[in-house]
Amino acid sequence: GVDEPALLEAVQAGETYEADWSISVSNIGRRVLHLTASPEVVDGGLLTTLQDIGRPEATRLGVPVSGAADPWSLAVANLLAGNDVGAAALELTAVGPTLRALRPATIAIAGADLGGRGSGRRLAPGRTHRLAAGDVVEFPGRASGDTGPGGWRAYLAVPGGIEAEVVLGSRSTCL
């Protein structure tokens, strides 16, 4: 479980607190996600959030739906990872994170092509990719001058999903 006093103390000190439910908190208002595959977050990217299908039932309470901006791509990433279509995944916007795998892992990527690379090889969307311990995965964004179709959001899912606290029926980040 989560030691709430220790969590609060770590957040206030700007430190990272690791909880056994696979998410940690660093700095006030900024979540650094520790996925099932336990990567090291080297860089969080421009706007990397945790999203699922959102919380449409909470709108009656004045809470926005939140959830994936591209629910189709979220579903594809989750299906590739063997998860339920609405499971929580990382939503990468424009420029994604840089992650280092601390142990072998499988990731699934769908949505926009944000130039994903993993230890020197291309990580195309619409596929699963196997990572070795130590592999660095980065999403530098669309190529400069690329004005073609393709969107600005990609989804990174892991087998088993990403665990985080469920708030009003969703794990989604509310922006």
Side-chain angles (χ1 to χ4, degrees):
V2 176
D3 178 350
E4 291 183 19
L7 171 62
L8 181 59
E9 185 178 310
V11 169
Q12 290 172 339
E15 298 171 355
T16 297
Y17 172 86
E18 292 193 42
D20 63 2
W21 38 272
S22 300
I23 189 169
S24 68
V25 180
S26 175
N27 301 327
I28 295 175
R30 179 175 175 210
R31 293 194 299 181
V32 177
L33 303 174
H34 291 269
L35 314 181
T36 305
S38 298
E40 172 188 351
V41 179
V42 177
D43 185 303
L46 179 65
L47 180 62
T48 302
T49 61
L50 185 63
Q51 298 296 343
D52 57 20
I53 57 173
R55 46 184 71 82
E57 300 299 320
T59 57
R60 64 183 170 76
L61 302 172
V63 177
V65 173
S66 301
D70 180 355
W72 175 261
S73 293
L74 171 71
V76 170
N78 274 316
L79 287 171
L80 288 168
N83 301 333
D84 179 77
V85 295
L90 293 182
E91 181 178 80
L92 322 177
T93 303
V95 175
T98 300
L99 308 169
R100 179 176 294 114
L102 299 180
R103 62 180 185 226
T106 299
I107 61 171
I109 304 167
D113 186 349
L114 298 182
R117 301 204 53 80
S119 292
R121 69 182 195 277
R122 177 154 160 55
L123 301 176
R127 301 185 57 186
T128 59
H129 303 278
R130 187 79 180 133
L131 304 176
D135 280 355
V136 175
V137 176
E138 60 185 346
F139 299 87
R142 293 175 62 169
S144 178
D146 179 2
T147 58
W152 293 98
R153 287 195 171 79
Y155 295 83
L156 187 151
V158 294
I162 300 173
E163 290 299 315
E165 183 179 3
V166 175
V167 177
L168 297 174
S170 173
R171 291 181 169 89
S172 287
T173 303
C174 179
L175 297 176

